Amino acid sequence: MRRPIDSLFGRLALLVVAVLLISHFAWFVLIRVERSETQTRYAVEEAAFLIDAVRQHVVRTPTVPLPSRVQLVDPASPEVPPPNPDLPPPLKRFVEDVRDRLPPGSLVRVGPPRHPPTLWVHEAADQDWIVVPMLSLHPPRPRDQMLEWLAIIFSIAVMCALFVAWRLQQPLRALAQAVVRFGRGQSVPPLVERGPRELRDLTRGFNQMVREVSRTEQDRAVMLAGVAHDLKTPLARLRLRAEMMEEVKLRDGVVRDVDSLAHIVDQFLAFAHDGNDRSEPVEVDAQCVRIARTYRAVAPGGPAVRTELAAGPGFRLPAATLERILSNLLDNAHAYGAPPVVISTTRTPAGWELSVSDHGRGIAPQDLVNASRPFVRLDPARGGNGHSGLGLAIVERLARRQGGVCEIGNAQEGGLRVAMTFPHAAAARATPQSESAW
């Protein structure tokens, strides 16, 4: 199961959202704390200003009455509030800040609860207590309007950041898809160099690598095709001369050798061909039945080929590709293995599976890694004549071009088993891609 968090965009999105969320939360806490501090400082300055204004008013204009909310109270009055050590922390801090703002020795107390609250101040030089209204210290409300603005800003920032992250990962995604296509042997057009400098350099290097590898593949294909083509004419003349021999035993031996050489030449041509298959997609199960029937007709003495088909009509592959895959594997099984040869299909969670297995000796475990390498013959395990070591290499290349994976191994009951797994979407769609192959 593919998880969105496993992709580059998913991880970038998670990182962006986490960073923005942490930063916005930090700013929100900082703003609330700073606003509380600012409110406290403003209240302290306002209280100090009012007290100083009242003191100046008493000294300069004692006959003018004070405002109604400002009072002068005799120290012996029972209205003077006693010291209260159990004040709430914000109010206690406010009292301490006011005391620090006033001359040393000043007494600062908070009046009884009322609206508005009052502040009582008495300095050493004062005859009376000065009572002034105090600015209310409102704690921040749980639901602050700033939260709505932060949510809007956060949403806009996340959308912009995700768009930028999506734009950044697009070239890398295209490069990853091109790498997968190139690994399957499919044609890869040059990628557009875009994105950051490092990504442009990577894309440029990949394009150059594809050009160099394609040039090398073309040179090898031309060389193999040229050699194989040039050998066909002398082989035809050699077979014609062999047919004219009078001695039957010698003639049959030469004809077999010529046929072996012709088979090698055909494999060279098949391996050198680099085109994709444009033939009509067919149902794999039905085609397997037809090919198995053909092989049984060639060898009517026994059930050389058996089918175990359970994939159903949804499993489809191009006809020419399927024909070449099965022909190579059946020829390989008849030449090196032992009957019966089993063709089986099934549907697995990983994709559609097509396998061909025989009941021969199989391949030595240490040689399995080289089984699909071109021009490698595993004679000690599966000897034979007239083969160039290209059969399994051709099968693996054809499977890769259809998006499949080829696995070569020994079956538990003995013999070689070649299993190819094709993705559900690719095998069910089986869209023709380029020029006709064979």
Side-chain angles (χ1 to χ4, degrees):
M1 179 178 180
R2 298 179 60 183
R3 296 182 301 172
I5 194 63
D6 285 339
S7 65
L8 175 63
F9 177 73
R11 298 196 177 190
L12 282 176
L14 181 62
L15 177 63
V16 165
V17 171
V19 170
L20 288 176
L21 187 61
I22 293 174
S23 63
H24 278 69
F25 178 75
W27 273 109
F28 175 71
V29 173
L30 181 62
I31 291 174
R32 285 174 69 96
V33 171
E34 183 63 24
R35 186 173 63 177
S36 178
E37 293 289 336
T38 303
Q39 186 184 30
T40 302
R41 288 196 299 267
Y42 180 77
V44 169
E45 292 298 326
E46 183 188 45
F49 174 78
L50 286 176
I51 293 169
D52 185 67
V54 170
R55 188 175 289 112
Q56 295 295 330
H57 177 83
V58 171
V59 172
R60 296 179 181 178
T61 56
T63 58
V64 178
L66 293 170
S68 60
R69 301 174 69 178
V70 178
Q71 301 177 12
L72 294 176
V73 180
D74 187 271
S77 173
E79 297 182 2
V80 176
N84 186 6
D86 298 329
L87 292 174
L91 197 56
K92 186 175 182 180
R93 182 181 174 184
F94 170 76
V95 170
E96 292 175 354
D97 290 343
V98 173
R99 186 182 296 114
D100 294 338
R101 183 69 174 74
L102 299 176
S106 300
L107 300 177
V108 180
R109 298 175 186 175
V110 177
R114 66 178 66 179
H115 186 78
T118 56
L119 184 67
W120 295 62
V121 177
H122 185 272
E123 296 183 6
D126 294 337
Q127 295 181 359
D128 301 317
W129 284 84
I130 301 176
V131 183
V132 296
M134 183 177 61
L135 180 66
S136 300
L137 299 177
H138 298 289
R141 290 171 296 180
R143 184 181 180 277
D144 203 312
Q145 190 177 12
M146 185 172 59
L147 285 174
E148 300 176 359
W149 283 106
L150 283 177
I152 295 174
I153 296 173
F154 175 78
S155 302
I156 296 175
V158 167
M159 288 188 291
C160 294
L162 292 182
F163 176 76
V164 172
W166 178 78
R167 292 282 297 178
L168 283 176
Q169 67 94 30
Q170 282 298 102
L172 196 56
R173 181 181 181 184
L175 181 60
Q177 293 174 346
V179 170
V180 172
R181 288 178 55 85
F182 184 70
R184 292 174 177 171
Q186 301 173 349
S187 60
V188 180
L191 298 178
V192 180
E193 299 176 9
R194 54 177 179 165
R197 182 180 66 254
E198 293 82 2
L199 189 54
R200 293 198 304 270
D201 294 340
L202 179 61
T203 305
R204 188 180 304 113
F206 175 77
N207 288 335
Q208 183 177 359
M209 181 191 69
V210 170
R211 287 194 297 268
E212 294 296 331
V213 173
S214 299
R215 187 179 298 113
T216 303
E217 288 286 338
Q218 290 174 2
D219 293 342
R220 183 179 66 171
V222 170
M223 180 189 68
L224 289 176
V227 172
H229 184 271
D230 292 341
L231 287 175
K232 276 186 170 293
T233 301
L235 284 175
R237 291 198 302 263
L238 186 59
R239 182 182 179 87
L240 179 61
R241 292 173 182 174
E243 295 287 349
M244 298 175 63
M245 290 182 179
E246 296 181 358
E247 187 175 348
V248 177
K249 186 175 181 180
L250 179 61
R251 181 185 61 192
D252 292 342
V254 174
V255 169
R256 280 197 304 270
D257 292 340
V258 171
D259 290 340
S260 297
L261 290 174
H263 181 72
I264 293 175
V265 169
D266 291 338
Q267 283 196 318
F268 276 6
L269 289 173
F271 187 76
H273 193 279
D274 198 30
N276 291 323
D277 192 356
R278 273 190 176 274
S279 59
E280 187 70 20
V282 295
E283 294 183 11
V284 174
D285 287 2
Q287 192 75 352
C288 289
V289 171
R290 187 186 65 80
I291 295 176
R293 188 184 302 117
T294 302
Y295 270 80
R296 293 193 195 102
V298 174
V305 180
R306 191 172 71 235
T307 56
E308 297 176 358
L309 310 175
F315 186 14
R316 301 172 66 86
L317 287 176
T321 294
L322 182 59
E323 179 83 21
R324 290 179 57 206
I325 288 176
L326 292 178
S327 297
N328 277 280
L329 291 178
L330 291 175
D331 288 344
N332 192 72
H334 278 84
Y336 298 135
V341 179
V342 181
I343 304 174
S344 63
T345 62
T346 185
R347 179 189 175 102
T348 66
W352 302 102
E353 184 178 284
L354 168 65
S355 66
V356 176
S357 58
D358 60 60
H359 290 75
R361 290 177 297 171
I363 296 179
Q366 64 270 17
D367 294 330
L368 284 174
V369 68
N370 297 322
S372 62
R373 293 182 60 185
F375 307 108
V376 174
R377 295 179 59 194
L378 307 175
D379 289 339
R382 300 167 68 88
N385 296 321
H387 293 265
S388 60
L390 286 175
L392 295 179
I394 293 173
V395 169
E396 186 179 38
R397 174 179 288 190
L398 292 173
R400 285 206 318 266
R401 286 178 181 171
Q402 297 301 322
V405 177
C406 182
E407 296 183 359
I408 302 174
N410 293 317
Q412 294 181 354
E413 61 274 11
L416 183 69
R417 183 176 186 270
V418 180
M420 294 148 287
T421 303
F422 301 90
H424 290 137
R429 188 171 58 250
T431 303
Q433 295 175 351
S434 65
E435 63 197 33
S436 180
W438 311 100

